[in-house]
Amino acid sequence: MCYYVLMIKEEIKILLSVDEHALEENQISSRMMTNLDEFILQSSVSESSITAEVFNIYKKFVSMKQNAPEGMKNELFLAMRNYIKERTSVGAYLDALFMYRFLLVKSKISTASYHEIAEILTNLGQYELGLEFIKLYERVETNKPLRILTMANFYNLHMKDYRTAIKYYEQYLKIDETKSVVYTIVASLYAKEYGELSLKDQIYYFEKAYKLKPKDRLILHGLAFGYEKYGDRSKANRFYQELLEVDPTATDYYNYGAFLISCGEFELGHKYFTKRFETGDINLKYPLENDIERKWDFKSDISSKTLLVHYEQGFGDTFMYCRFVPLLKGIAKKVVFVVQDEVYDLIKGSKFLTGIKLVSSKEDLSKVKYDVHMALLDTPFVLKTRPNTIPTPEGYLKVSTAKVKEYGKLYIKPTKKIRVGVAYQGDKSANYNGRDIDFTRFNRIFSLEGFEFYSLTKDVVESDKVVALGDTFKDFTDTACAIKNMDIVISTDNVILNLAGALGVKSYALFNKHPNFRWYQLNGENVGWYRSVMAIQAEENNCWTTVFSELINILCEYRNR
């Protein structure tokens, strides 16, 4: 440590020793002052140390006696308080704390100052000392509503202790029921701290806020989302509609569109879903944003034009929506379909795109001739699709019998057991929040007799009861061959599920309580999009016990046929 820094630290130590104790009226204990001084000294040698300006102010006035005339002190102290506010506003918290230390030993500070010091300390990472000052504030503040609200805000904003903050806010609401913002904060804190376990509480407080401020966007958004997760679609729909009446954003339309699709309201849902590219979400970028002038507006007559359809998002989306592309031949004179290179061979080999030019993503699109373009996931909207008009739900992707047999000879065990392919997670780079299941949960089914289990993911599988096939997949044609060698596929919501469904292989889809919006049908014999896929859904979020119990029953019934 350099000599200059040590010298500054020593000078600060001398300044602090002039008045070691706070004024008695300030009710600061000797231990609190000692801890405060130790922190100031420790921080004086850090990179964000006390500035020379503040150090010189302290040094200039440190000789002032604690019992100096009031007239002399008042003007100085007022200037210092204003200076503290200025330094705090620019994030110079150590400067502000050093000035507050001066006031603690020289003057009677206001009740609010204890709260301000507590905030400064927490901003500097001194949470324990900050708590001591806020508790001192709580003891001396006589304005009950102000005291409770200040405590609530402190625990919420500075301590991030949401449970304690909720208790204080709820105390405040017993005194004052007129603040919609407080009800909104409490609802949001319940969501942060307790998640979906607190949906009733969230809705209760948002409803209270709604009565006071029925046009507030945040409140309407909270009620729409809350009721959607709670399973009350009627009320969710009501509040989504009210939200769209209050200066709606593209995100509002997109969210409502996704909700409607999840309800099976395809036409209006997919109309609003087209707004996704206007939301600013980095995961929802238009695939041809560098050629936006040729984007089809979905209104113009393109019967004499060439339409380019471009994939978007993941491989699973391509498998799910590629079935719509052949129907576009009735709208455009010619259709060009761009797909990821990894799925190109499989889709081309499936031969369901008769009369459509298939292009791999590795090709130079500047050399491809087209007049207008669109994104793949907008095809249901363009075709006015309804749940009962989803094309070819019985399976449309194909892989040659010869390739399936060849793959089976190389990698599938010759056995009379029932072959079951398992996929428990999707691409880690994708947004798979809430979709994946811990591999160890599958141990319950791996112990069943009469089955041979195969992993269909790329990840390492640490189980001697499972044959890992991931390393054998050079492309999705190999993956399709593996799936076609299975009697049953069990998968979470990922690309394997969509591929199995598109191949028409009997599958069981394991869904969390709140699945991706496109899965509008999770009851009955199939999921709507694929007749070969049956859903098993968790009753509570991330509660998979009953899901696997049902799955075991299904497998046992299948074995005993």
Side-chain angles (χ1 to χ4, degrees):
M1 191 178 296
C2 70
Y3 174 74
Y4 174 75
V5 172
L6 289 173
M7 183 178 67
I8 292 296
K9 181 178 181 180
E10 191 60 31
E11 285 196 62
I12 292 176
K13 186 175 182 180
I14 292 171
L15 292 180
L16 298 180
S17 68
V18 173
D19 297 295
E20 295 181 358
H21 302 287
L23 284 182
E24 186 175 344
E25 297 96 312
N26 288 330
Q27 303 183 40
I28 307 296
S29 68
S30 297
R31 181 179 55 79
M32 289 174 68
M33 282 301 295
T34 298
N35 291 339
L36 183 64
D37 287 355
E38 286 180 355
F39 173 66
I40 290 173
L41 285 171
Q42 175 189 344
S43 302
S44 66
V45 295
S46 68
E47 292 182 3
S48 56
S49 182
I50 297 163
T51 61
E53 182 181 10
V54 171
F55 173 79
N56 288 329
I57 292 173
Y58 200 114
K59 184 176 181 180
K60 180 178 180 180
F61 296 104
V62 71
S63 59
M64 175 184 287
K65 300 296 184 183
Q66 290 181 333
N67 60 354
E70 291 299 320
M72 179 189 302
K73 294 192 295 185
N74 288 342
E75 186 175 349
L76 172 63
F77 295 158
L78 178 60
M80 283 189 170
R81 290 189 183 97
N82 290 333
Y83 190 68
I84 287 171
K85 290 181 181 179
E86 178 190 323
R87 300 305 292 159
T88 301
S89 68
V90 297
Y93 299 119
L94 196 57
D95 278 353
L97 184 63
F98 196 44
M99 284 290 90
Y100 253 129
R101 200 275 181 189
F102 182 93
L103 294 179
L104 284 173
V105 300
K106 299 292 188 181
S107 71
K108 173 69 173 72
I109 64 171
S110 66
T111 302
S113 295
Y114 298 120
H115 164 236
E116 292 166 6
I117 293 171
E119 287 188 345
I120 290 169
L121 284 166
T122 55
N123 285 331
L124 290 166
Q126 295 300 298
Y127 298 101
E128 290 186 14
L129 191 53
L131 278 173
E132 290 194 61
F133 274 92
I134 200 65
K135 288 176 181 176
L136 179 55
Y137 163 82
E138 188 176 22
R139 289 199 302 271
V140 300
E141 178 59 72
T142 58
N143 184 326
K144 186 177 180 180
L146 176 62
R147 178 179 72 240
I148 295 173
L149 189 58
T150 299
M151 296 298 293
N153 289 334
F154 179 80
Y155 277 101
N156 175 20
L157 302 174
H158 293 275
M159 296 302 296
K160 309 300 181 186
D161 181 351
Y162 302 130
R163 294 192 182 195
T164 303
I166 288 171
K167 291 177 181 178
Y168 277 109
Y169 281 125
E170 289 179 330
Q171 287 179 36
Y172 178 81
L173 289 171
K174 291 179 181 178
I175 301 171
D176 184 354
E177 299 179 346
T178 66
K179 302 290 192 303
S180 66
V181 66
V182 178
Y183 285 112
T184 303
I185 290 171
V186 176
S188 301
L189 290 184
Y190 266 106
K192 280 185 179 180
E193 184 63 23
Y194 301 104
E196 293 178 11
L197 297 175
S198 67
L199 279 174
K200 285 185 178 180
D201 295 294
Q202 294 173 43
I203 291 171
Y204 171 80
Y205 284 108
F206 274 128
E207 285 279 14
K208 287 283 191 179
Y210 175 76
K211 290 178 181 179
L212 295 167
K213 205 170 182 180
K215 298 296 183 181
D216 185 278
R217 287 179 45 77
L218 182 59
I219 295 169
L220 292 171
H221 183 274
L223 285 169
F225 267 47
Y227 277 118
E228 181 180 357
K229 289 183 178 180
Y230 193 63
D232 191 332
R233 290 182 169 180
S234 176
K235 286 189 176 179
N237 188 56
R238 167 195 161 188
F239 288 111
Y240 269 122
Q241 289 183 350
E242 289 189 27
L243 183 61
L244 294 187
E245 295 174 1
V246 187
D247 193 21
T249 66
T251 300
D252 294 331
Y253 283 111
Y254 165 68
N255 287 335
Y256 188 39
F259 166 73
L260 290 173
I261 293 170
S262 75
C263 296
E265 299 289 339
F266 271 29
E267 290 188 87
L268 186 57
H270 282 106
K271 175 184 177 181
Y272 289 149
F273 187 65
T274 62
K275 293 285 187 177
R276 64 194 180 280
F277 300 122
E278 301 173 31
T279 63
D281 188 328
I282 192 171
N283 297 310
L284 297 171
K285 286 186 176 181
Y286 189 74
L288 288 162
E289 59 184 356
N290 293 327
D291 185 23
I292 209 68
E293 65 276 4
R294 283 196 282 178
K295 182 181 178 182
W296 184 30
D297 61 7
F298 304 138
K299 299 176 183 177
S300 305
D301 180 9
I302 59 170
S303 58
S304 62
K305 299 183 182 298
T306 298
L307 170 66
L308 182 144
V309 183
H310 200 289
Y311 73 89
E312 57 175 304
Q313 302 187 42
F315 300 121
D317 301 291
T318 302
F319 291 142
M320 176 178 271
Y321 288 88
C322 65
R323 69 180 86 181
F324 292 96
V325 176
L327 301 180
L328 294 172
K329 290 186 294 184
I331 295 175
K333 183 178 182 180
K334 293 182 180 180
V335 178
V336 178
F337 184 25
V338 182
V339 300
Q340 301 97 321
D341 185 56
E342 294 88 340
V343 307
Y344 176 82
D345 288 339
L346 175 60
I347 291 179
K348 184 177 182 180
S350 296
K351 298 180 181 180
F352 71 101
L353 295 176
T354 305
I356 291 174
K357 182 177 181 179
L358 189 67
V359 177
S360 168
S361 59
K362 70 178 181 180
E363 294 185 38
D364 185 357
L365 284 187
S366 65
K367 298 179 181 179
V368 177
K369 294 181 179 181
Y370 61 92
D371 300 302
V372 292
H373 54 73
M374 64 175 289
L376 176 60
L377 270 61
D378 282 328
T379 50
F381 168 65
V382 169
L383 296 166
K384 297 180 172 57
T385 304
R386 297 178 181 179
N388 62 352
T389 62
I390 292 175
T392 55
E394 68 279 357
Y396 42 91
L397 293 184
K398 309 294 181 184
V399 62
S400 73
T401 302
K403 287 184 177 180
V404 173
K405 288 183 177 180
E406 181 183 356
Y407 182 92
K409 288 180 181 179
L410 290 172
Y411 304 112
I412 306 300
K413 294 180 179 181
T415 177
K416 293 183 178 180
K417 292 182 179 181
I418 298 168
R419 296 182 297 274
V420 181
V422 177
Y424 58 95
Q425 67 182 27
D427 183 353
K428 288 299 182 182
S429 64
N431 179 20
Y432 275 90
N433 183 36
R435 305 194 212 179
D436 297 342
I437 301 177
D438 190 286
F439 178 73
T440 58
R441 289 185 177 274
F442 286 84
N443 288 331
R444 290 183 61 186
I445 66 170
F446 293 156
S447 61
L448 294 175
E449 296 293 331
F451 297 91
E452 193 75 55
F453 293 96
Y454 294 85
S455 170
L456 301 175
T457 70
K458 289 276 189 179
D459 304 277
V460 176
V461 176
E462 296 180 358
S463 174
D464 56 2
K465 296 181 180 180
V466 182
V467 178
L469 294 179
D471 288 342
T472 71
F473 300 157
K474 295 183 288 295
D475 55 28
F476 275 104
T477 300
D478 288 334
T479 311
C481 286
I483 290 173
K484 291 292 286 184
N485 270 284
M486 299 296 120
D487 297 302
I488 298 172
V489 169
I490 299 169
S491 179
T492 57
D493 180 8
N494 61 63
V495 62
I496 298 299
L497 175 62
N498 283 289
L499 180 52
L503 289 165
V505 174
K506 183 60 180 177
S507 304
Y508 293 94
L510 310 185
F511 289 107
N512 215 330
K513 183 179 180 180
H514 302 296
N516 182 275
F517 66 89
R518 70 193 69 191
W519 300 106
Y520 70 95
Q521 181 175 297
L522 296 182
N523 296 316
E525 293 300 314
N526 63 70
V527 295
W529 290 99
Y530 308 110
R531 288 181 185 163
S532 64
V533 178
M534 178 179 175
I536 308 176
Q537 187 178 12
E539 295 177 359
E540 297 297 334
N541 205 42
N542 294 322
C543 183
W544 299 105
T545 303
T546 55
V547 169
F548 279 92
S549 294
E550 184 176 349
L551 182 59
I552 288 172
N553 291 335
I554 290 171
L555 290 175
C556 290
E557 288 180 9
Y558 190 96
R559 181 186 58 193
N560 297 331
R561 289 176 183 175

